[in-house]
Every structure is written in structure tokens, then in C-alpha cells.
Amino acid sequence: MTHYLYLVRHGEQQDAEHGLPDGPLSPRGQRQAALVADRLSGVPLTSVWHSPLQRAAQTAEVLAERLPAVDPKPSALLFDCVPTGITPDTPSAFEPFFGSISDEQIEAGHAQMADAVAEFLARKPGEMHDVLITHNFVIAWFVREVLQTPEWRWMTLNQANCGLTVLGQKPGRPWTLLTFNDMAHLPVELRTGLPESLPF
């Protein structure tokens, strides 16, 4: 029996380019959410959890509209956050990112992700199919945790809006990264949210 964790980044936020901390989905974000819902429609989902932020909550609402059997619930453990500060082995190229991040934000983010890992990567009995609708940094931290890479490596992992990352764990085995940032369900014009454009 395998425990599957489906990590979905929220759909594109309306006016995200204007630097707003949160907001509703854009029309393109609504389409992205509908398509990832269709992608998951054949999976016997056990639970759906989402960040309380509006863009993630609305993505979960679209899933619930298209998959009536699911009942999404908010979790503060899935809030957008910065999981770490500068570590001794963090490349200097990343240092400017932390200029506007306070020590308090970093401490809170690190504690949040420790609790999130303890909650969502805990082994559960039976076949489980859990969906987490959250944010880029949170997904990157889960992947970094499963791969057991240095803490700063979350900064090198990016997921598209409504891209799909899947983790799996069989009894007696460690968690495995099954797929990362799968965008097969998204046409090219809907592949948003990455730091730079891709050639496909």
C-alpha cells in the first residue's frame, strides 16, 4: 500500500506582477486549476488540503467544483513562507533575496515547514492519495526534504502554476520523488509561474 502526496502550486494570481501579496485567480489561473482537477479526476483522492491564502483556496474550490467527492480543507502549515535564511553553504548569488526578509519571518517559516513535514510526510496506514495545494517555496521544501539535499537547495526548485509534483512512500521505504513539476495537462500558453520562459 503506497501513500501518495500530490503537490499542486496554486493557479496564476490576478495582477501578481504588481507585487500584491495575495489575490484571486486570474482567468488563466482558473483554467489551470480546472485542468489540474481533470488530471486528478481518476485518482481515488483521500484528502485535499490547501493554503488559506486566496489564490490557493480558489484553486481548491475549482477542484471541488469538478470533483464533487472532495472536500478541501485549509491548513496553516501550507501558507507561503521562506523556509530558511542564509546558511554557511548558501551560494552568494542568493544573498540579495534575503535583503527584505526579516529574521522573524525566517524563524516562523522554518518552524512551519518542520511541522508541515511532520504532519504530511508521516506514514499513514493503507493506500492514501492526499493533495496539497500550496506555494512554490513550500513544494520546494518538501522535495528538498525527500531528497535530503542541503537546506538552501529549496531556492533552486521552481514549480509552474498548477504544475504537479508527486511523492510516494511504500511501507518500510523512504519517500520517493515520483515526478516533479509535471505540466503535461497544461498547454504551453498556460505554463506560467516559472522564473524564466522554457523553450517548449
Side-chain angles (χ1 to χ4, degrees), residues 14-77:
Q14 184 76 43
D15 298 326
E17 68 273 13
H18 297 152
L20 299 176
D22 194 21
L25 295 181
S26 68
R28 188 158 53 179
Q30 293 275 353
R31 291 173 60 201
Q32 292 165 339
L35 288 170
V36 77
D38 291 345
R39 179 75 184 275
L40 294 170
S41 64
V43 178
L45 299 179
T46 312
S47 66
V48 177
W49 296 91
H50 64 86
S51 160
L53 292 176
Q54 186 178 10
R55 58 192 185 270
Q58 284 197 348
T59 302
E61 288 171 8
V62 174
L63 256 72
E65 290 169 2
R66 299 178 81 88
L67 304 174
V70 307
D71 181 23
K73 292 180 171 56
S75 171
L77 298 179

Side-chain angles (χ1 to χ4, degrees), residues 23-172:
L25 295 181
S26 68
R28 188 158 53 179
Q30 293 275 353
R31 291 173 60 201
Q32 292 165 339
L35 288 170
V36 77
D38 291 345
R39 179 75 184 275
L40 294 170
S41 64
V43 178
L45 299 179
T46 312
S47 66
V48 177
W49 296 91
H50 64 86
S51 160
L53 292 176
Q54 186 178 10
R55 58 192 185 270
Q58 284 197 348
T59 302
E61 288 171 8
V62 174
L63 256 72
E65 290 169 2
R66 299 178 81 88
L67 304 174
V70 307
D71 181 23
K73 292 180 171 56
S75 171
L77 298 179
L78 299 177
F79 263 120
D80 202 5
C81 69
V82 175
T84 65
I86 298 174
T87 63
D89 53 349
T90 301
S92 59
F94 292 110
E95 290 181 9
F97 169 83
F98 294 99
S100 61
I101 309 296
S102 70
D103 291 343
E104 290 76 15
Q105 287 174 298
I106 292 169
E107 184 178 349
H110 195 69
Q112 174 190 316
M113 290 315 303
D115 289 345
V117 164
E119 174 70 20
F120 293 113
L121 293 185
R123 176 66 194 173
K124 298 179 177 68
E127 186 92 0
M128 303 292 290
H129 296 267
D130 300 328
V131 176
L132 306 183
I133 300 171
T134 183
H135 306 275
N136 191 47
F137 293 168
V138 175
I139 293 171
W141 187 262
F142 273 110
V143 173
R144 184 221 62 80
E145 179 72 20
V146 165
L147 296 180
Q148 289 294 288
T149 61
E151 286 195 344
W152 65 269
R153 293 293 295 184
W154 67 269
M155 300 190 71
T156 67
L157 299 169
N158 291 283
Q159 179 145 313
N161 294 118
C162 288
L164 181 63
T165 289
V166 184
L167 308 177
Q169 186 191 40
K170 293 181 181 296

